[in-house]
Amino acid sequence: MQIEQLYKIFRQHPVVTTDSRDCPSGSIFFALKGASFDGNRFAKQALDQGCAYAVIDEREYDDPADDRLILVDDCLSTLQQLARFHRRTLGTKIVGVTGTNGKTTTKELIATVLSQKYNVLYTQGNLNNHIGVPKTLLGLRSDHDIAVVEMGANHPGEIKTLVNIAEPDCGLITNVGKAHLEGFGSFEGVIHTKGELYDFLRQRADSIVFIDNGNEHLKGIADGLTLVRYGIGDDETLCVGGEVVSCAPMLSFRWRHGGGDWHQVDTHLIGTYNLTNMLAAACVGLYFGVTSEQIDKALSSYRPTNNRSQLTLTEHNRLIVDTYNANPTSMDAALCNFRDMDVSPKMAILGDMRELGDSSSEEHRKVVDFLLCNGLSNVWLVGEEFGKTDCPFRKFHDVEEVKSALRDDCPHGYYILIKGSNSTRLYELPPLL
């Protein structure tokens, strides 16, 4: 079946699912494959549970007598092509967001700001991969004014794949850092892959890039692009400049447009490292005509709910929960911020940083050295990589050992930073603290 034919069906049934356990009435099921599953096996089940059509790519699961089964060469490729066709048909303005750290928070902040003026579609959660991006795009409706699409990668070429599906009109790379080195091979590999967003926009007439003026890595790969700049400081040539007012523990900052008046915003986010994320959102908002007052309102009202830079108050402690992910760059930013916070007493529970390949031992050693040099002494380290380091801190093999220790002796009255890769499951600790 040609994409144009499938698109006519989609217009009649504009809901897509890839999970046979979640089949809204009248939706279209795409039988995707994974390392341990084959969606083709569940196509009939999806139809029985309410789907109007099922797209499959294995002939053995086809039934010529059932015209609800649509046989294609490759379900994933078809899903991606359908999403691009839909995006082109509607012509909605799309802002593409990627980066090593902060892309999900920045995406949500941009969407919050733009929603002050527009009907905005934006990536839900972190559905930012080769499946999540097309599913996001297929959620576009004719009444959406703008879309903010997050794009993630852990291997070379993945951002190129995603931008060729989403075809953004403008874009923003939050930063580049040491993450997924096992997949990228090197820090230079990270820069090259994230830069694939810039490469696409170079080829697109009238495209815009929003750029952190203080990030030399990004400026170094931004030749030939139309740049709208934001950054830390009060440089009047910037579209948006800003600086931290306080962080004890919530971030308060001020910003201004060019040489205009200063605006102070008291946020619900932890961490001075979120300043550039806030400035990015303000910059995008101004470019699209959102007023300064609307931007202030949006940024001050945003509350994180995704275990990123999140303050959680318990009966016994104040927790700084940053357990969604961890890499050397984000760990350094979190620890620097924690060190500088004017609060006491402090404690940190840190989990392994995953997918660092040959750099893993060195990067975990650097974290330990930072702790030793900066007076952060009440520290629990969780995981095999931290376990290999030579240090005086208390070590745990896994989160289950931490849970057992907390049941026996729970700390009281502390500000506790909890940070580690998602797979270390430190997000299970807050109820025990």
Side-chain angles (χ1 to χ4, degrees):
M1 177 176 287
Q2 298 297 313
I3 286 298
E4 292 83 356
Q5 296 172 284
L6 181 58
Y7 189 62
K8 289 180 181 179
I9 294 174
F10 171 75
R11 293 303 294 265
Q12 297 298 315
H13 302 274
V15 176
V16 163
T17 180
T18 58
D19 187 345
S20 61
R21 299 163 298 181
D22 179 21
C23 296
S25 178
S27 60
I28 303 174
F29 173 72
F30 278 78
L32 302 184
K33 297 174 183 174
S36 59
F37 68 90
D38 182 352
N40 287 275
R41 295 174 50 209
F42 305 100
K44 283 282 192 179
Q45 177 182 324
L47 293 172
D48 291 341
Q49 293 182 350
C51 288
Y53 291 89
V55 180
I56 59 175
D57 56 13
E58 295 287 350
R59 190 170 295 278
E60 64 179 290
Y61 295 98
D62 193 17
D63 180 357
D66 191 344
D67 60 7
R68 298 175 302 167
L69 291 166
I70 300 172
L71 181 65
V72 299
D73 291 334
D74 183 284
C75 282
L76 176 59
S77 177
T78 300
L79 177 69
Q80 294 170 343
Q81 292 177 56
L82 180 66
R84 182 172 57 194
F85 193 93
H86 182 53
R87 179 263 180 279
R88 288 178 174 176
T89 300
L90 292 183
T92 310
K93 187 75 71 175
I94 291 182
V95 182
V97 179
T98 190
T100 300
N101 301 305
K103 58 182 172 292
T104 298
T105 298
T106 301
K107 170 259 301 181
E108 294 194 354
L109 290 170
I110 291 172
T112 300
V113 167
L114 293 177
S115 294
Q116 295 291 312
K117 182 175 181 178
Y118 301 102
N119 183 10
V120 180
L121 175 77
Y122 62 98
T123 302
Q124 295 300 299
N126 69 323
L127 296 177
N128 59 17
N129 64 5
H130 59 297
I131 299 171
V133 167
K135 290 178 72 174
T136 296
L137 293 171
L138 289 170
L140 278 169
R141 299 293 175 259
S142 59
D143 61 341
H144 284 124
D145 302 304
I146 207 163
V148 185
V149 179
E150 178 183 341
M151 294 174 281
N154 54 26
H155 287 85
E158 290 183 330
I159 295 299
K160 181 178 181 180
T161 296
L162 299 180
V163 294
N164 283 331
I165 297 169
E167 298 185 336
D169 302 280
C170 51
L172 186 152
I173 303 175
T174 56
N175 51 49
V176 287
K178 295 180 179 180
H180 305 297
L181 296 181
E182 193 171 39
F184 289 121
S186 66
F187 178 51
E188 289 70 25
V190 176
I191 296 173
H192 177 78
T193 300
K194 301 301 181 183
E196 289 166 354
L197 172 59
Y198 286 0
D199 294 339
F200 175 85
L201 291 172
R202 273 191 195 89
Q203 304 167 28
R204 194 173 183 89
D206 302 322
S207 66
I208 295 293
V209 164
F210 304 97
I211 192 169
D212 178 359
N213 196 56
N215 192 307
E216 296 301 324
H217 294 300
L218 296 180
K219 289 162 70 175
I221 59 172
D223 291 344
L225 292 164
T226 301
L227 304 179
V228 180
R229 302 173 186 269
Y230 62 90
I232 297 173
D234 59 358
D235 186 342
E236 294 185 5
T237 66
L238 298 177
C239 174
V240 172
E243 58 191 23
V244 172
V245 173
S246 66
C247 192
M250 298 299 189
L251 171 66
S252 292
F253 74 100
R254 64 176 192 161
W255 69 276
R256 65 175 180 172
H257 172 43
D261 295 335
W262 286 100
H263 297 254
Q264 181 164 329
V265 179
D266 301 321
T267 81
H268 295 279
L269 281 173
I270 297 287
T272 55
Y273 48 84
N274 274 305
L275 174 59
T276 52
N277 300 335
M278 291 281 179
L279 299 178
C283 184
V284 175
L286 285 174
Y287 178 81
F288 282 103
V290 182
T291 68
S292 298
E293 292 73 23
Q294 289 173 320
I295 291 170
D296 292 344
K297 177 183 176 182
L299 296 181
S300 64
S301 64
Y302 173 76
R303 293 177 179 269
T305 57
N306 48 21
N307 290 327
R308 292 176 169 89
S309 306
Q310 192 170 330
L311 182 67
T312 300
L313 306 182
T314 71
E315 183 179 352
H316 305 299
N317 300 287
R318 288 175 169 83
L319 312 180
I320 300 165
V321 183
D322 198 355
T323 60
Y324 184 79
N325 215 340
N327 56 59
T329 306
S330 67
M331 183 69 81
D332 181 69
L335 289 175
C336 286
N337 181 74
F338 193 51
R339 174 199 61 194
D340 296 340
M341 282 174 55
D342 186 20
V343 297
S344 65
K346 298 178 182 179
M347 177 181 177
I349 302 176
L350 308 178
D352 277 356
M353 302 173 290
R354 300 287 168 80
E355 299 183 42
L356 296 180
D358 293 339
S359 301
S360 187
S361 295
E362 177 187 358
E363 296 298 343
H364 284 84
R365 177 71 244 176
K366 287 180 180 178
V367 173
V368 168
D369 289 344
F370 179 96
L371 296 167
L372 292 172
C373 293
N374 287 276
L376 296 172
S377 57
N378 191 357
V379 178
W380 291 7
L381 301 176
V382 186
E384 294 182 6
E385 291 300 313
F386 274 130
K388 298 174 186 176
T389 60
D390 181 17
C391 65
F393 305 124
R394 192 170 177 182
K395 298 178 182 178
F396 300 83
H397 178 71
D398 56 26
V399 72
E400 296 303 325
E401 287 190 6
V402 180
K403 290 179 182 179
S404 179
L406 290 175
R407 294 186 187 102
D408 294 336
D409 183 20
C410 181
H412 287 70
Y414 283 87
Y415 280 82
I416 305 176
L417 171 65
I418 309 173
K419 185 167 181 63
S421 286
N422 192 55
S423 58
T424 62
R425 295 166 39 217
L426 297 191
Y427 53 80
E428 297 178 6
L429 297 181
L432 301 177
L433 289 163

